[in-house]
Amino acid sequence: MHPDLDELRPKLKEILYDCAVDIRATKAALYLLDSETKKFELATEFGFRSAVRQSANANDPMVERCSRGRSPFYVNNPATDPRLSELLFEASTERMLGVPLFSRGQLVGFIDMRDKAQNQPFDQPDLAKAQGIADRILALFSTKNIWNQRFITMSDSEMVRLPQISATPAESEAPSPRPGVSLAEMLTASRTIAVRLRDPRPPDPIGSSELAAITDTLRTMLLMPGAIAVAFSATGSAGEIQEIASRGTMTEGALSALQMKLQTWLDKRGESAGLLRTTVRTPLGVTMPPIAAAQLEKVFSAAVSVPNFRGLYVTVAFSGMPERNTHELLGAMLIQLQASIESSALRTTLQDTRMRIAERLVEPEHENFPDLRRHCMSVLDLTSTFARQLGLGAAESEIAQLTALVHDCGMRLLDYDRLYRKRDLNHDELELLKEHVTVGASIVEPLLGPDIARAVLSHHERVDGAGYPNQLRGEEIPLASRVLQICDAYITITDPATYQMPETPDEALAAIRRGGGAQFDRELAIRFEEMMRAGVQSTKLATR
């Protein structure tokens, strides 16, 4: 362990005792990551006595649970999380509260609390108190700079950096085609971002992708023996929605009874469901007469613990007393529901992160290329609509949208400001601008991956093989590039600010029609004209 740890151990013990004072936990242990052993070693504890374990590795269920989120969590029934039940059994305890310790984006430790005084369950207010204790521990270690020494596993040389493009000596001596951004401009932009980051991020609402994952899991939960209705509820900032899957239509009395059972359970936790927008589905078909209130013989509710979400609950109604193995299955289903939401939210976050990276590639380091940004955003808007009209899958659609946003990012390194509005380009200037596909692809590849980079590289190829830079033909050209080409051409032809005289939308569609089978994919050109003739409106992405 770190040499300063012995010096800090008495203070750590003092902070850890607040688990007993503030939360009334009868046992608590603090584990810290040792980068040499790659294990979480026991730093200090109270209450466990001989039952405390000395270390935990990366495969430990507590470590895995802490790694999946930054928020404290509790388990009041071993059946709700079978992976943690063995740890509870080994220490002869029934309830657990886990608190991850994160520093510089890395899990560097955790607090393991067990049992609450007077056999009380851990509850929601305990989570905020637990996070406060974790923050005090991290603050103590920051005074010793421990996390920047032995407890950090990624060195500075391993950190990901944006690619830097160095000029040749001749280029560095030439005057820049664009003045650098001023200090005042950079500070103004930086302060705008700082204001947005000042306050903690509020809990996320449940989005459409998470809701789709939830409804799939509810259908599976409905297959449990005796289950006749399963409800997922998101309250407060999470969305104030309720999705119900049932084996048959539910009478008003049954819906009211289900809501009453949920609210009674929440009352005991000091919470409220409020007014929820309820949707009832029968994913298995109507296999029984309408469900009445009297049929909801046993109703169980549980909190759904997912990082960055608050106020999520699941309620399961049974037509009779479920057997013990059904209780165990219910716990496993809850874990599956939590994992489904977490996985879906992670995909959404990743997509948002990739889009933000793409935006910075078009406008890096607070510099402003208004014409380039406006053109790329217009092409993105139209490409998004066209991808949706074509019915592209989520992955193909994301590639097309990201490619649309960054397709011309190489332009900003090629005297873009001087050449963009110039209407009579000479041969050398045209050849220089053609390099934007290779420059753009080289910038994009390390940050957004080879699929996006290849689509950027190929967005000026032609299906007849007469394009550049590699004279690809037909389906050798990535689908994202073929979709983007048409949208890019339409925006360029109709935009009065580009290098050529603008034409009307009808003239642009006629040009795309003529280019079908030569410059453009013939089938895509037909579909694009059909979409535009039908007056389909482009809709900006939610991230815009």
Side-chain angles (χ1 to χ4, degrees):
M1 298 292 279
H2 195 276
D4 287 332
L5 188 60
D6 287 338
E7 176 188 341
L8 296 177
R9 207 179 299 272
K11 185 62 177 178
L12 289 173
K13 188 94 169 182
E14 179 184 331
I15 296 175
L16 197 66
Y17 270 127
D18 283 344
C19 296
V21 176
D22 295 343
I23 303 174
R24 302 172 66 203
T26 63
K27 307 175 183 70
L30 171 65
Y31 294 84
L32 299 175
L33 176 65
D34 188 321
S35 61
E36 289 188 356
T37 64
K38 302 299 182 183
K39 290 184 177 182
F40 291 84
E41 306 286 353
L42 178 67
T44 186
E45 59 87 21
F46 71 84
F48 277 95
R49 299 182 180 87
S50 60
V52 68
R53 53 192 181 140
Q54 298 301 307
S55 65
N57 59 31
N59 296 323
D60 183 86
M62 174 63 102
V63 175
E64 288 181 348
R65 181 65 183 85
C66 288
S67 298
R68 287 195 285 122
R70 295 175 176 269
S71 304
F73 64 94
Y74 57 76
V75 175
N76 288 319
N77 183 342
T80 62
D81 197 333
R83 291 174 300 179
L84 297 173
S85 60
E86 185 174 346
L87 293 179
L88 292 168
F89 176 77
E90 288 175 351
S92 301
T93 57
E94 295 182 355
R95 298 178 177 87
M96 168 188 292
L97 196 160
V99 191
L101 299 176
F102 274 87
S103 177
R104 295 179 63 179
Q106 179 185 3
L107 180 69
V108 296
F110 63 89
I111 305 172
D112 180 354
M113 295 184 225
R114 305 291 180 88
D115 293 339
K116 197 171 177 178
Q118 297 179 345
N119 203 31
Q120 294 296 307
F122 292 113
D123 53 23
Q124 203 73 21
D126 293 333
L127 299 182
K129 297 173 184 176
Q131 186 60 59
I133 294 171
D135 292 342
R136 290 171 58 196
I137 291 174
L138 291 171
L140 177 64
F141 276 113
S142 68
T143 63
K144 293 293 184 178
N145 202 29
I146 285 182
W147 303 128
N148 294 325
Q149 299 177 38
R150 191 175 167 193
F151 286 98
I152 198 73
T153 58
M154 180 183 291
S155 66
D156 289 340
S157 63
E158 295 172 316
M159 298 294 285
V160 177
R161 292 183 173 82
L162 295 179
Q164 300 294 318
I165 298 179
S166 302
T168 63
E171 290 172 332
S172 61
E173 294 167 5
S176 171
R178 174 183 181 83
V181 64
S182 72
L183 177 61
E185 290 173 323
M186 185 185 71
L187 289 177
T188 298
S190 298
R191 286 165 183 161
T192 301
I193 295 172
V195 169
R196 190 174 70 243
L197 298 176
R198 180 179 57 198
D199 298 322
R201 178 182 171 186
D204 293 330
I206 288 291
S208 57
S209 60
E210 290 88 17
L211 199 56
I214 289 164
T215 53
D216 285 345
T217 307
L218 294 185
R219 182 184 186 279
T220 303
M221 295 179 76
L222 201 58
L223 298 174
M224 289 187 293
I228 56 175
V230 185
F232 171 84
S233 306
T235 66
S237 59
E240 297 182 342
I241 59 174
Q242 186 178 63
E243 285 284 323
I244 298 178
S246 63
R247 284 190 170 273
T249 57
M250 299 187 70
T251 64
E252 288 297 324
L255 286 173
S256 297
L258 193 66
Q259 297 292 73
M260 188 178 301
K261 294 281 189 181
L262 172 61
Q263 188 57 63
T264 300
W265 179 78
L266 288 172
D267 287 342
K268 296 178 181 178
R269 297 167 57 91
E271 302 172 31
S272 174
L275 184 62
L276 303 177
R277 300 189 306 276
T278 300
T279 303
V280 182
R281 308 177 193 276
T282 53
L284 305 181
V286 182
T287 59
M288 58 187 295
I291 299 171
Q295 294 173 261
L296 310 181
E297 187 169 328
K298 290 294 177 182
V299 178
F300 299 89
S301 292
V304 180
S305 178
V306 180
N308 296 327
F309 290 96
R310 299 290 184 274
L312 307 184
Y313 311 100
V314 63
T315 303
V316 185
F318 291 89
S319 58
M321 175 61 75
E323 297 180 359
R324 180 174 180 79
N325 60 349
T326 302
H327 279 281
E328 296 172 355
L329 183 59
L330 187 57
M333 289 289 186
L334 177 61
I335 294 171
Q336 180 182 336
L337 178 61
Q338 292 172 165
S340 296
I341 299 173
E342 198 169 333
S343 176
S344 180
L346 182 61
R347 287 195 299 272
T348 300
T349 301
L350 179 59
Q351 290 171 354
D352 182 63
T353 300
R354 281 158 63 88
M355 191 60 72
R356 288 178 182 274
I357 291 172
E359 289 176 346
R360 301 305 295 158
L361 290 176
V362 177
E363 272 193 300
E365 298 174 1
H366 305 306
E367 290 187 283
N368 185 24
F369 295 82
D371 291 328
L372 176 61
R373 180 175 179 80
R374 181 180 53 78
H375 171 74
C376 290
M377 294 301 291
S378 297
V379 175
L380 167 60
D381 187 15
L382 190 55
T383 300
S384 176
T385 302
F386 191 26
R388 187 168 56 251
Q389 187 74 7
L390 292 171
L392 299 187
E396 290 177 326
S397 180
E398 184 188 8
I399 291 173
Q401 292 172 16
L402 286 169
T403 303
L405 182 54
V406 300
H407 72 283
D408 277 347
C409 71
M411 287 283 197
R412 62 181 174 78
L413 301 179
L414 300 174
D415 209 358
Y416 174 82
D417 281 355
R418 183 175 67 85
L419 299 179
Y420 180 71
R421 294 177 182 273
K422 188 174 181 180
R423 299 192 184 279
D424 298 314
L425 298 174
N426 60 39
H427 174 75
D428 289 342
E429 291 169 335
L430 282 172
E431 290 302 308
L432 175 63
L433 285 186
K434 283 185 178 181
E435 293 294 336
H436 80 279
V437 298
T438 53
V439 173
S442 68
I443 294 173
V444 166
E445 196 275 335
L447 296 172
L448 296 177
D451 289 340
I452 310 297
R454 184 166 182 264
V456 169
L457 182 67
S458 306
H459 79 272
H460 278 290
E461 300 284 2
R462 295 168 52 110
V463 295
D464 62 4
Y468 65 88
N470 295 314
Q471 294 77 52
L472 301 180
R473 290 177 174 273
E475 294 189 359
E476 292 178 343
I477 305 170
L479 176 60
S481 304
R482 285 178 278 142
V483 170
L484 163 66
Q485 287 171 340
I486 296 173
C487 299
D488 188 20
Y490 182 87
I491 295 296
T492 302
I493 293 171
T494 57
D495 188 352
T498 56
Y499 56 86
Q500 62 186 20
M501 293 298 294
E503 300 183 31
T504 67
D506 282 342
E507 290 171 328
L509 291 176
I512 291 171
R513 187 189 319 120
R514 290 193 300 272
Q519 181 177 356
F520 309 114
D521 183 302
R522 187 188 306 278
E523 180 61 29
L524 291 179
I526 294 171
R527 295 285 300 276
F528 181 80
E529 183 172 6
E530 289 174 348
M531 179 185 77
M532 299 302 288
R533 298 289 186 197
V536 174
Q537 297 296 312
S538 61
T539 304
K540 295 185 183 298
L541 293 177
T543 52
R544 302 281 62 78

